[in-house]
Amino acid sequence: MSKINFSSGLLLFSFLFLVNSSSFSQNTDSVFISKIYKSALTQGNSYEDLRQLCKDVGARLSGSAEADMAVEWGFQKLKSYNFDTVYKQEIKVPHWERGTKESAWLKLQDGKLLKLNILALGGSIGTNGLIKAELLIVNSLEELKKMPKSKVNGKIVLINQRMEDNVIHSFQAYGGCFPIRKSGAVEGARLGAVAVLIRSLSLGENDFPHTGTMQYNDSVGKIAAGAISTNDADKIALLTKNNAKSEIWLEMDCRFYEDKISYNVIGEMWGKNRNEIITFGGHLDSWDAGEGAHDDGAGIAHSIEALRLLKSQNYKPKHTLRCVLFMNEENGNRGGETYATWTKARNEIQIAALESDRGGFSPRGFDIESENAEMIHKFEVLFEQMIPFGLSVFAKGHSGVDVGPLGDEYENITMFGFVPDSQRYFDFHHSANDVFENVNKRELELGCAAIASWLYLIDKYI
Amino acid sequence: MSKINFSSGLLLFSFLFLVNSSSFSQNTDSVFISKIYKSALTQGNSYEDLRQLCKDVGARLSGSAEADMAVEWGFQKLKSYNFDTVYKQEIKVPHWERGTKESAWLKLQDGKLLKLNILALGGSIGTNGLIKAELLIVNSLEELKKMPKSKVNGKIVLINQRMEDNVIHSFQAYGGCFPIRKSGAVEGARLGAVAVLIRSLSLGENDFPHTGTMQYNDSVGKIAAGAISTNDADKIALLTKNNAKSEIWLEMDCRFYEDKISYNVIGEMWGKNRNEIITFGGHLDSWDAGEGAHDDGAGIAHSIEALRLLKSQNYKPKHTLRCVLFMNEENGNRGGETYATWTKARNEIQIAALESDRGGFSPRGFDIESENAEMIHKFEVLFEQMIPFGLSVFAKGHSGVDVGPLGDEYENITMFGFVPDSQRYFDFHHSANDVFENVNKRELELGCAAIASWLYLIDKYI
């Protein structure tokens, strides 16, 4: 495009504004929200905060030295912004390590070898040295479940199930494939497989394997489980088409160590009603590949910056705004569970919660997790105030894993999930590709502004 | 994020659906549009088409050999899809070349040199060898205009005006800065400057200079004009703060050659009403830095693929769907102007037009360019059909530069601009950074599906 006849940017959905707006002061709010956006985009700290977390700390799986560093970084960062209080909340976290040996090869019947791009799934046992077994390819978890034991026994199974790339909302496609990663090893072990590989949960074709949690079932025993890249899964399927007796050679020395002490890190701006809390945050831990930039460094940067932006505007909240940098979302959710139990035990009133854990992409809106029709309608109306700032999606949906346990403890809590554009998320998710360079500064900053503005509207009108 | 409780993706804007929908068959349309999306996302050609245009052809400024290649590529590509007719439309285009010498340095008073990242503005004259002149920095075009001639005379002026990064819709920020690039040389020459440099029209800080069109005014004479990177502009401002007598040394040998013959490339699916046309397209030419991937390879890939998708679903249009790959949008718009005059002279009826020239990012919706309130309302209602597919923006705004002249010829035409997310566009626009690797496959494919679906709805209901 060469010239300037840019869009007016005015939404034509004029009927959106036909609702009763007497209950809030649209103009004051609009002025305040504009200031939040301007501050985020011109004097924002989020991009530099994220750079530090990605580059100075790095990948930070629960129990790792880097996770300890992330706790220290988060604590010092919140301190540096002079919130009303900053503290750490002790939790016990699982401690699994990938180890130093992690290799896999395809060996074709004619002897040719193909080295595979592999990551052990989080929580997998190791192989105790190199194991070699005949390859069995299935195209779905359902296909594997229906196999006779005789066909699976003694083999390494590749579950080559594609994420459905025709699904528009990519998290829905992820949901459809999630059981493969979670239960592949159980279903394989049940039928006597010696190990399981899965096609990475990623849309499109590339060389990055994507890790993530998996589960065992003691009654069927444990076998090693890894993810290979989508390109490798396609290559294997192609090369073994007329090559029945291919093998997989596999070595992994990942294993669990004893649980470790770690922390949620918490910063607060106190409200007039100090015991009434609005909890918001992301998770400080990440998988051990890449830098956890989108998952969930972005959510951490969003949350810290949202609180800082509100403070920078001298906002005096009605409720206590509590920013929680949760530990251990990825493989245990001990941070989220501990936090919910702790706040309940202190007789705090949890009014609302918000989580950012879907990446640092261009903001689209918020999901609301509530069964209270009146409350949903109230926020629907409030959301119209965000439309001039480029948001457009307000949907009934999921909030987040970390804040999830609050919903079990507090019947009346209203919870929100921040919704950025989802198309690129699974290019990066849980892989070595999830690095700072793949986060766009403006997109991250707009997310901070959207979250800060939404917290303001929640606090003022709930 | 580790787990699967994904959003339902259901919009809560239920009042959106309270409008009268008796005039269209929502269910049939929804099924058809779903097929379009599925085909685009699972069997799409757009990403490979774009790869060819970027990598096998490359940057393709009007008059260049690469522009000729792009015409040939577009012609063969449209042919390969067996549309009802494919042809070229001859036009004369300007032929400006950057030449081989393009360098600039900052020379500080203490003798230190800093080499700058520079691109001549498109259409600039050369410097006829190395020129050296004292540097004058102004912070805006307005500041320059107010300067006394004595202060500017004999100097090289740097117009260090930032794009407003607090503007949410980035095209609006671009619009605000566009006059600097367009008129900087005129305003400089009027006051006796020997050359003008501008801060690149880009949001954020990086090392890429961004070129683009500029204008001369014969009455004040011509001086050379270039763009330097935003990082360099900041560096110069910083280094020269207490260093009044800095110089710029500059050499450029860009120049115009004689106009050349080139072509718009056109493919059609004939409608029952063959003489009633829906025109849509993007522009085949690009600037000569990078690969013209987002600007406007994406628009070309969108347009070709939209027609292919409709054909692949055996769609029989009511009106003739005419895909135009316009030549020379960037520095002349001869393609758009010639096309509008030509179709008018043939007594064709132009019903509607659509342009994609804002990049290959995640689709948000469409701008409508029309003063007909009834027609606007009609499309507002139709647009609701796109909401389940992730679109949410329907706004009164600009269509595009190429289809613009149709609006002058046809009073009653309804025109649309495709609106993708705008946040990353000016990271790439008119720079060496606008390459294929910076286009995401799914985002591009979703754009194709959105455009094909919208063309279907236009054709069926207009």
Side-chain angles (χ1 to χ4, degrees):
Chain A
M1 137 167 299
S2 69
K3 291 173 190 168
I4 51 158
N5 305 318
F6 52 87
S7 152
S8 68
L10 283 173
L11 284 172
L12 278 176
F13 286 141
S14 46
F15 34 94
L16 275 179
F17 297 98
L18 296 176
V19 294
N20 181 355
S21 60
S22 62
S23 63
F24 56 87
S25 46
Q26 218 162 335
N27 194 43
T28 321
D29 294 340
S30 166
V31 169
F32 186 82
I33 294 172
S34 292
K35 285 182 187 166
I36 294 271
Y37 270 82
K38 183 167 184 177
S39 181
L41 287 164
T42 63
Q43 301 175 294
N45 286 6
S46 61
Y47 194 62
E48 169 58 16
D49 286 352
L50 180 64
R51 190 201 63 73
Q52 292 171 6
L53 185 57
C54 290
K55 300 299 182 188
D56 297 341
V57 176
R60 44 200 180 277
L61 186 58
S62 289
S64 67
E66 288 84 354
D68 287 351
M69 294 299 122
V71 166
E72 182 62 18
W73 174 87
F75 185 72
Q76 297 299 342
K77 180 60 68 180
L78 288 170
K79 279 268 190 201
S80 75
Y81 293 143
N82 292 311
F83 299 128
D84 292 324
T85 182
V86 175
Y87 53 101
K88 295 189 268 187
Q89 180 176 58
E90 189 176 306
I91 53 171
K92 260 201 173 171
V93 296
H95 178 201
W96 176 87
E97 286 195 12
R98 187 169 299 285
T100 55
K101 294 173 186 170
E102 187 170 65
S103 299
W105 294 261
L106 171 71
K107 182 171 177 287
L108 295 167
Q109 199 167 16
D110 63 8
K112 274 190 193 139
L113 288 167
L114 177 69
K115 179 137 190 176
L116 304 173
N117 296 289
I118 186 172
L119 280 175
L121 294 185
S124 176
I125 60 167
T127 55
N128 196 15
L130 185 65
I131 60 172
K132 305 174 183 179
E134 192 179 327
L135 167 67
L136 172 70
I137 305 181
V138 294
N139 289 313
S140 70
L141 191 63
E142 292 313 306
E143 187 185 329
L144 175 60
K145 283 182 184 172
K146 288 180 196 145
M147 286 260 166
K149 194 163 180 174
S150 60
K151 274 213 154 180
V152 180
N153 199 42
K155 294 185 182 159
I156 292 179
V157 179
L158 168 60
I159 309 175
N160 189 18
Q161 185 170 334
R162 300 178 71 89
M163 260 173 83
E164 278 192 272
D165 44 15
N166 64 319
V167 172
I168 290 164
H169 299 284
S170 67
F171 283 90
Q172 207 177 325
Y174 179 61
C177 257
F178 181 78
I180 298 153
R181 200 183 71 208
K182 180 179 157 202
S183 308
V186 171
E187 300 305 332
R190 200 188 299 285
L191 298 168
V194 296
V196 162
L197 300 179
I198 66 163
R199 178 190 181 93
S200 281
L201 271 55
S202 177
L203 289 157
E205 286 87 43
N206 59 66
D207 289 327
F208 291 102
H210 297 245
T211 187
T213 48
M214 45 111 35
Q215 287 185 355
Y216 284 121
N217 178 335
D218 285 338
S219 72
V220 298
K222 296 179 176 180
I223 58 175
I228 60 171
S229 73
T230 55
N231 272 351
D232 281 352
D234 287 339
K235 253 188 252 175
I236 292 175
L238 191 71
L239 290 171
T240 60
K241 231 176 184 171
N242 307 308
N243 210 326
K245 289 275 176 187
S246 303
E247 287 178 6
I248 295 287
W249 293 17
L250 176 68
E251 178 172 35
M252 303 186 333
D253 67 348
C254 46
R255 70 178 184 92
F256 273 107
Y257 296 79
E258 263 185 42
D259 282 4
K260 279 187 69 170
I261 298 297
S262 188
Y263 303 89
N264 293 329
V265 184
I266 299 175
E268 297 179 1
M269 265 173 78
W270 292 333
K272 268 180 245 156
N273 310 328
R274 178 128 166 229
N275 203 42
E276 295 178 3
I277 316 290
I278 296 171
T279 296
F280 64 99
H283 63 86
L284 202 45
D285 63 310
S286 76
W287 279 105
D288 56 344
E291 298 166 358
H294 280 291
D295 187 11
D296 183 29
I300 292 295
H302 282 151
S303 303
I304 296 174
E305 179 77 347
L307 197 61
R308 191 193 69 79
L309 287 167
L310 288 168
K311 187 175 150 71
S312 75
Q313 299 303 316
N314 293 314
Y315 181 63
K316 304 292 175 215
K318 273 202 322 208
H319 313 87
T320 290
L321 301 180
R322 182 182 285 161
C323 170
V324 185
L325 316 183
F326 290 96
M327 178 52 67
N328 187 227
E329 190 268 356
E330 292 293 4
N331 59 344
N333 203 25
R334 305 261 182 96
E337 283 162 8
T338 303
Y339 174 73
T341 312
W342 171 84
T343 180
K344 187 71 179 182
R346 283 161 54 106
N347 291 316
E348 291 179 339
I349 301 162
Q350 291 279 344
I351 303 289
L354 182 152
E355 180 154 347
S356 166
D357 187 17
R358 304 185 203 175
F361 306 96
S362 195
R364 305 296 301 267
F366 298 94
D367 278 348
I368 181 165
E369 187 171 341
S370 169
E371 295 306 323
N372 179 335
E374 202 182 317
M375 194 60 89
I376 291 173
H377 179 68
K378 185 175 188 168
F379 280 103
E380 242 175 341
V381 174
L382 278 174
F383 183 75
E384 289 162 36
Q385 301 229 49
M386 300 304 302
I387 293 176
F389 297 91
L391 300 196
S392 53
V393 171
F394 191 74
K396 205 168 160 177
H398 178 56
S399 54
V401 170
D402 296 292
V403 300
L406 286 174
D408 303 329
E409 300 285 354
Y410 293 89
E411 207 179 326
N412 295 318
I413 192 171
T414 307
M415 304 210 290
F416 300 93
F418 170 62
V419 180
D421 198 282
S422 77
Q423 297 310 324
R424 287 173 285 148
Y425 189 72
F426 293 98
D427 293 353
F428 310 125
H429 182 245
H430 296 183
S431 82
N433 200 21
D434 188 11
V435 294
F436 175 69
E437 289 76 4
N438 288 326
V439 179
N440 178 275
K441 183 168 179 279
R442 272 181 71 83
E443 294 190 346
L444 182 72
E445 290 171 344
L446 285 166
C448 299
I451 290 168
S453 303
W454 193 238
L455 288 170
Y456 158 80
L457 291 171
I458 296 171
D459 181 57
K460 192 164 167 192
Y461 294 109
I462 203 168
Chain B
M1 129 161 312
S2 69
K3 292 173 192 168
I4 52 158
N5 306 318
F6 52 87
S7 151
S8 69
L10 282 171
L11 284 172
L12 278 176
F13 286 141
S14 46
F15 35 93
L16 276 179
F17 296 98
L18 296 175
V19 294
N20 180 356
S21 60
S22 63
S23 63
F24 55 87
S25 46
Q26 218 163 333
N27 193 44
T28 321
D29 294 340
S30 167
V31 169
F32 187 81
I33 294 172
S34 292
K35 284 183 188 165
I36 294 271
Y37 270 82
K38 183 167 183 177
S39 181
L41 287 163
T42 62
Q43 301 175 294
N45 286 7
S46 60
Y47 194 61
E48 169 58 16
D49 285 352
L50 180 63
R51 190 201 63 74
Q52 292 172 7
L53 185 57
C54 290
K55 300 299 181 187
D56 297 341
V57 175
R60 43 200 180 277
L61 187 58
S62 290
S64 66
E66 287 84 355
D68 287 352
M69 293 299 123
V71 166
E72 183 62 17
W73 174 87
F75 184 71
Q76 297 299 342
K77 179 61 67 180
L78 288 170
K79 279 268 188 200
S80 75
Y81 293 142
N82 292 311
F83 299 128
D84 291 325
T85 182
V86 174
Y87 53 102
K88 294 189 269 188
Q89 180 176 57
E90 189 176 304
I91 54 171
K92 259 201 172 171
V93 296
H95 178 200
W96 175 87
E97 286 194 11
R98 186 169 300 284
T100 55
K101 294 173 186 170
E102 188 171 65
S103 299
W105 294 261
L106 171 71
K107 182 170 178 285
L108 295 167
Q109 199 167 16
D110 63 10
K112 275 191 192 134
L113 289 167
L114 176 70
K115 179 136 190 177
L116 304 174
N117 295 290
I118 186 172
L119 279 175
L121 294 185
S124 176
I125 60 166
T127 55
N128 196 16
L130 185 66
I131 59 173
K132 305 172 184 179
E134 192 179 327
L135 167 66
L136 172 71
I137 304 180
V138 295
N139 289 313
S140 70
L141 191 64
E142 292 313 305
E143 188 186 330
L144 174 61
K145 282 181 184 175
K146 288 179 195 145
M147 287 260 166
K149 194 164 180 175
S150 59
K151 274 213 154 180
V152 181
N153 199 44
K155 295 186 181 157
I156 293 179
V157 180
L158 167 60
I159 309 174
N160 189 18
Q161 184 169 335
R162 301 178 70 88
M163 260 173 83
E164 279 192 272
D165 43 16
N166 64 319
V167 172
I168 291 165
H169 300 285
S170 67
F171 282 89
Q172 206 176 326
Y174 179 62
C177 256
F178 180 78
I180 299 154
R181 200 183 71 208
K182 179 178 158 203
S183 308
V186 171
E187 299 306 331
R190 198 189 300 285
L191 298 167
V194 296
V196 163
L197 299 179
I198 66 164
R199 178 190 181 91
S200 281
L201 272 54
S202 177
L203 289 158
E205 286 87 41
N206 60 65
D207 290 327
F208 291 102
H210 298 245
T211 187
T213 47
M214 46 111 36
Q215 288 184 355
Y216 284 122
N217 177 334
D218 286 336
S219 72
V220 296
K222 295 180 178 180
I223 57 175
I228 61 171
S229 73
T230 55
N231 273 351
D232 280 352
D234 288 339
K235 253 189 252 175
I236 293 175
L238 190 71
L239 290 171
T240 59
K241 231 175 183 172
N242 307 309
N243 210 326
K245 288 276 176 185
S246 303
E247 287 179 5
I248 294 287
W249 293 17
L250 176 69
E251 179 173 34
M252 303 185 334
D253 66 348
C254 47
R255 69 179 186 92
F256 274 105
Y257 295 78
E258 263 185 44
D259 283 3
K260 279 187 67 170
I261 298 297
S262 189
Y263 304 89
N264 294 329
V265 185
I266 299 175
E268 297 179 2
M269 265 173 77
W270 291 333
K272 267 181 244 156
N273 311 327
R274 177 128 167 230
N275 203 41
E276 296 179 2
I277 316 290
I278 297 171
T279 296
F280 62 99
H283 63 86
L284 201 46
D285 63 310
S286 76
W287 280 105
D288 56 343
E291 298 165 358
H294 280 291
D295 187 10
D296 183 27
I300 292 296
H302 281 150
S303 303
I304 296 174
E305 179 76 347
L307 197 61
R308 192 194 68 79
L309 286 167
L310 288 167
K311 186 175 151 70
S312 76
Q313 300 302 316
N314 293 312
Y315 180 64
K316 304 292 175 216
K318 272 202 323 208
H319 313 87
T320 290
L321 301 181
R322 181 183 286 161
C323 170
V324 184
L325 317 182
F326 290 96
M327 178 52 67
N328 186 227
E329 189 269 355
E330 292 293 5
N331 59 346
N333 203 25
R334 305 260 182 96
E337 283 161 8
T338 303
Y339 174 72
T341 312
W342 170 84
T343 179
K344 186 72 179 180
R346 283 161 53 106
N347 291 316
E348 291 179 339
I349 302 162
Q350 291 279 345
I351 301 290
L354 182 152
E355 180 153 347
S356 167
D357 188 17
R358 305 185 203 176
F361 306 97
S362 195
R364 304 298 300 266
F366 298 94
D367 277 348
I368 181 166
E369 187 171 342
S370 169
E371 296 305 325
N372 179 336
E374 201 182 319
M375 194 60 89
I376 291 173
H377 179 68
K378 185 174 189 168
F379 280 104
E380 242 176 341
V381 174
L382 278 174
F383 183 74
E384 290 162 36
Q385 302 229 48
M386 300 305 300
I387 294 176
F389 297 91
L391 299 196
S392 53
V393 171
F394 191 74
K396 204 167 161 178
H398 177 56
S399 54
V401 170
D402 296 290
V403 301
L406 286 174
D408 303 329
E409 300 286 354
Y410 293 89
E411 207 180 325
N412 295 319
I413 191 171
T414 307
M415 305 209 290
F416 300 93
F418 170 62
V419 180
D421 197 283
S422 76
Q423 298 309 324
R424 287 173 285 149
Y425 190 71
F426 293 97
D427 293 353
F428 309 124
H429 181 244
H430 296 184
S431 82
N433 200 20
D434 189 10
V435 294
F436 175 69
E437 289 76 4
N438 287 327
V439 179
N440 178 274
K441 182 168 180 275
R442 273 180 71 83
E443 294 189 346
L444 182 73
E445 289 170 346
L446 285 167
C448 299
I451 290 168
S453 303
W454 193 237
L455 288 171
Y456 158 80
L457 290 172
I458 296 172
D459 181 57
K460 191 163 167 191
Y461 294 110
I462 202 167

